Amino acid sequence: MRAHSSALTRGLALTAGLVLALAACSSGGGGGGSGSKGTSAGLASCSTQGKADTCNSGATKTGGTFTYVIEKNVQQWNVQDTNGNTFENAEALSPVLPQVYIPQPDFTVKLNTDLVASATQTSASPQTIVYKINPKASWNDGTAITADDFIYYWRTNDGKDCPPPPASDSTQTKGCLPQSTAGYDRVKSVTGSDGGKTVTMVMAKPYSDWKSMFGAGYPLYPAHVAEKLSGATAGDAAHMTAAQMTQGWQYFQKNPPTKYATAGPYRMTEWVDNDHATYEPDPKWTGQKKATLQRLIFKVISDATQEPIALRNNEVQGIYPQPEVDLVNQIKAIPNVTYTIGNGLTWEHFDLNLHNPVIGKYLALRQAMFTAISVKDITAKTVAQFDPGVKQLYNHNFVPGQPGYQDVVSASGQGSGDLTKAKKYLTDAKFTGVGTALKTPDGKAVGPFNCRYTTGNQIRQSECQILQSDLAGLGVKVTIKPIGAADLGTVLAGHQYDIIVFAWVASPFPISGAQQLWTTGGGGNYGGYSNKQVDSLISQAIGETDATKAAAMLNQADQIMVNDAYVLPLYQKPTFLAVQTRFVNMRNNSTNVGPPYNVGEWGLKK
């Protein structure tokens, strides 16, 4: 899931990349034909089974400017980096950087044949993957895309060749800090042949989610750029030193893709910090289909309440905000706009910080807290007001519609709001003051705890308020403390919370995501969870190439995690896409890559 190895999930929603970052759309928009208020003519069919990948399709004509809203500023540009692993960063890079497999709206992944003609497992022992790079694929400075780019990617993300900076290095001036090492840490070798156009990857240990590598929301960066600026030998990423790779890593952190060679249907011509990125069709793009828009703009609007206003005033032509009742109703009233509400791989959750000495020490307290929380009440007072089909999520790794999803939570009573059962956990564990002013078995006050959410998010504020009320029934006082929109990653990484609510934006690779989020020391495991059985089961699942067996192992681990009461899944977070009807081929993709997954196809309706 994006964010992790990683560090933040996309969107923080962090993205759970690789892991994090979200089978079908749910309810579509309201009725009406073209030109009526609240029309859903283009995107309505996204909610129909089998239409997620084709809804709102159409031929395009040349011309037009399409402005799409991203909700957070891009603070650093290396999306492979744990601190650059945000949903908005991934969106902003999608028009210009290539990746092997691209997550689709129906949660499958599709081979990007503009980059690679094929990707095939040719041997199971040792597991061997062969990539045939498209003979035409090149960076827009004329440098061919070769095995060197794959080798550079692997070595900067394996956690060994460019090792992360020590914890004492707060400035992180040395080493690479990948959002996830999953898969890359299992590679024995990556080599090139056929003039660099064939890539052979041999695994030291099998890796079930190999299709997540070299893409799935985390694109390639040009190795030759890193080699040149660091003084490394051109075309020899296999022998770059850690210091040389660090230079490239940091260069891609600090510089937008206006400064180096890219390979996408667009090239970025301008980046104005905290305002917008401008793209134009790249005349040197080697892909099959040329972009037809005259100009593409990604506009930063961090206040979601301003998005419907900007859409109504034609300042932007597409928005992808978290839906809220007022916002949805405003969109319904705008003429010539099509919209859809979807449920995908983004999921909302409460996390407990096990670094807190009381929360971390007492399992019975955590179990009681989660049991006292009523997810039904939370959804009824928030997302169910505009998405009545939303239901409690009962799994930490799979969502309904994904193979492997099963209910591992409800039998525990967590999320049920059963106050009687919750209190029994505490009395059986010899807590006192249950229901009034809770104290530990050794007489220490429990709390007050803070509940943290990103400022300006009314739904999450309400979720903290409901939690506050539910835990008051146990005798636990909760204070509500918002987080600045740009500070979620800092708060998580610094353990600056007792209870926090946010969302993971996942990729279609749940096993890689589990390594990131739940294993001891995982990049997205901010709360400090550690269970050796869970580590072992996830490790086995990662190396199991039979998807059914791997999912069973993951669910077995999940059952243990539920008992440990570390994270409480709430629901699949509804996603909301609204665009003007004069444009086509935009559609909801509630995975870690978002709607820009096919940005090269966006255009004016012919």
Side-chain angles (χ1 to χ4, degrees):
M1 300 180 232
R2 209 177 219 110
H4 333 155
S5 97
S6 147
L8 307 182
T9 4
R10 269 174 177 167
L12 278 91
L14 286 179
T15 13
L18 40 261
V19 91
L20 270 190
L22 290 135
C25 304
S26 83
S27 54
S34 178
S36 67
K37 290 184 178 181
T39 178
S40 61
L43 289 169
S45 62
C46 291
S47 60
T48 304
Q49 188 170 3
K51 296 290 187 180
D53 291 352
T54 58
C55 57
N56 198 36
S57 294
T60 61
K61 58 185 178 182
T62 301
T65 295
F66 188 88
T67 302
Y68 173 81
V69 172
I70 58 174
E71 295 193 308
K72 293 182 181 66
N73 189 37
V74 178
Q75 296 181 310
Q76 68 111 308
W77 289 94
N78 189 344
V79 73
Q80 296 175 9
D81 184 87
T82 194
N83 296 307
N85 179 30
T86 66
F87 184 60
E88 290 73 20
N89 195 353
E91 288 189 301
L93 290 170
S94 60
V96 298
L97 292 180
Q99 50 189 307
V100 173
Y101 280 97
I102 302 174
Q104 302 295 298
D106 67 353
F107 307 157
T108 62
V109 291
K110 183 178 180 181
L111 189 68
N112 175 13
T113 54
D114 288 327
L115 175 62
V116 289
S118 64
T120 310
Q121 179 172 307
T122 60
S123 171
S125 183
Q127 186 183 26
T128 303
I129 314 298
V130 175
Y131 303 89
K132 295 286 189 180
I133 299 175
N134 188 316
K136 296 181 180 179
S138 71
W139 302 100
N140 64 3
D141 63 358
T143 303
I145 296 176
T146 69
D148 200 53
D149 296 296
F150 285 70
I151 293 167
Y152 175 76
Y153 193 133
W154 160 51
R155 296 190 68 221
T156 51
N157 280 271
D158 67 2
K160 304 167 191 172
D161 291 305
C162 185
S168 58
D169 180 11
S170 60
T171 58
Q172 296 181 0
T173 55
K174 297 180 180 179
C176 306
L177 192 63
Q179 55 82 26
S180 177
T181 60
Y184 306 102
D185 58 357
R186 291 174 168 252
V187 173
K188 179 181 179 180
S189 64
V190 179
T191 55
S193 57
D194 298 333
K197 285 297 186 176
T198 294
V199 184
T200 301
M201 178 172 68
V202 179
M203 307 300 291
K205 294 186 288 185
Y207 182 53
S208 57
D209 281 344
W210 64 266
K211 289 183 180 179
S212 70
M213 300 175 72
F214 308 111
Y218 299 90
L220 278 71
Y221 287 81
H224 69 284
V225 172
E227 290 160 355
K228 183 176 181 179
L229 67 91
S230 67
T233 302
D236 194 19
H239 294 98
M240 291 180 75
T241 65
Q244 288 170 330
M245 286 188 283
T246 298
Q247 282 185 265
W249 189 267
Q250 293 180 343
Y251 180 83
F252 294 129
Q253 285 178 330
K254 297 172 184 176
N255 291 283
T258 55
K259 301 292 183 69
Y260 54 84
T262 56
Y266 290 92
R267 59 188 181 96
M268 186 186 291
T269 59
E270 180 185 45
W271 165 249
V272 178
D273 188 54
N274 208 33
D275 192 82
H276 72 274
T278 302
Y279 308 80
E280 294 177 358
D282 191 339
K284 296 184 179 179
W285 164 234
T286 58
Q288 288 186 321
K289 295 181 180 179
K290 303 297 183 182
T292 58
L293 288 171
Q294 180 181 6
R295 185 174 291 105
L296 175 69
I297 297 172
F298 281 14
K299 173 69 176 174
V300 179
I301 300 180
S302 55
D303 182 353
T305 63
Q306 299 302 307
E307 293 182 51
I309 298 170
L311 185 62
R312 185 178 63 234
N313 293 339
N314 197 33
E315 297 166 13
V316 304
Q317 289 74 51
I319 62 174
Y320 194 56
Q322 177 172 321
E324 297 181 12
V325 175
D326 290 347
L327 186 148
V328 173
N329 286 336
Q330 288 181 62
I331 298 302
K332 288 180 179 179
I334 302 175
N336 302 311
V337 167
T338 177
Y339 60 91
T340 187
I341 297 173
N343 292 323
L345 300 183
T346 303
W347 57 284
E348 194 91 345
H349 47 91
F350 279 123
D351 292 22
L352 300 180
N353 182 9
L354 305 187
H355 299 282
N356 177 296
V358 175
I359 293 175
K361 180 177 181 179
Y362 294 104
L363 172 61
L365 172 63
R366 301 196 302 272
Q367 292 173 325
M369 290 167 66
F370 278 178
T371 303
I373 296 168
S374 171
V375 175
K376 184 177 181 180
D377 193 30
I378 285 172
T379 57
K381 293 178 179 178
T382 56
V383 292
Q385 295 182 35
F386 53 82
D387 188 10
V390 70
K391 295 180 177 63
Q392 182 172 351
L393 181 64
Y394 292 114
N395 198 293
H396 293 82
N397 297 297
F398 301 98
V399 299
Q402 279 187 300
Y405 178 79
Q406 63 179 244
D407 177 356
V408 297
V409 176
S410 63
S412 70
Q414 293 179 21
S416 66
D418 187 338
L419 191 59
T420 300
K421 182 175 182 177
K423 287 181 175 179
K424 189 173 187 303
Y425 278 119
L426 297 172
T427 54
D428 287 353
K430 311 302 182 186
F431 280 73
T432 59
V434 178
T436 53
L438 191 65
K439 293 185 178 180
T440 63
D442 57 0
K444 295 179 181 177
V446 175
F449 298 140
N450 60 57
C451 181
R452 308 209 66 181
Y453 71 97
T454 43
T455 187
N457 190 313
Q458 183 58 52
I459 285 177
R460 290 186 180 141
Q461 182 178 351
S462 297
E463 288 166 352
C464 276
Q465 289 169 342
I466 295 167
L467 174 138
Q468 182 183 51
S469 175
D470 289 343
L471 297 193
L474 298 178
V476 177
K477 183 178 180 181
V478 173
T479 59
I480 298 174
K481 189 176 179 183
I483 303 165
D487 298 329
L488 178 55
T490 301
V491 168
L492 286 167
H495 320 305
Q496 300 165 20
Y497 63 94
D498 299 316
I499 308 164
I500 192 167
V501 60
F502 65 101
W504 289 119
V505 188
S507 80
F509 298 100
I511 296 170
S512 301
Q515 181 184 25
Q516 177 182 350
L517 299 183
W518 316 125
T519 60
T520 303
N525 185 354
Y526 299 109
Y529 177 69
S530 179
N531 184 300
K532 291 182 179 179
Q533 284 182 282
V534 170
D535 290 349
S536 177
L537 284 163
I538 291 176
S539 179
Q540 291 177 60
I542 288 169
E544 176 54 68
T545 54
D546 183 310
T548 301
K549 291 180 181 178
M553 292 173 185
L554 213 53
N555 281 320
Q556 190 178 344
D558 205 345
Q559 197 69 67
I560 298 168
M561 288 164 45
V562 170
N563 184 65
D564 288 341
Y566 165 51
V567 168
L568 178 64
L570 298 177
Y571 53 83
Q572 287 174 268
K573 178 175 163 294
T575 53
F576 182 67
L577 175 65
V579 300
Q580 292 182 355
T581 53
R582 61 195 178 100
F583 294 93
V584 291
N585 299 328
M586 298 84 179
R587 57 187 72 98
N588 192 4
N589 184 335
S590 14
T591 73
N592 61 320
V593 295
Y597 81 102
N598 69 334
V599 67
E601 300 174 15
W602 293 6
L604 278 170
K605 185 187 298 182
K606 195 168 184 177

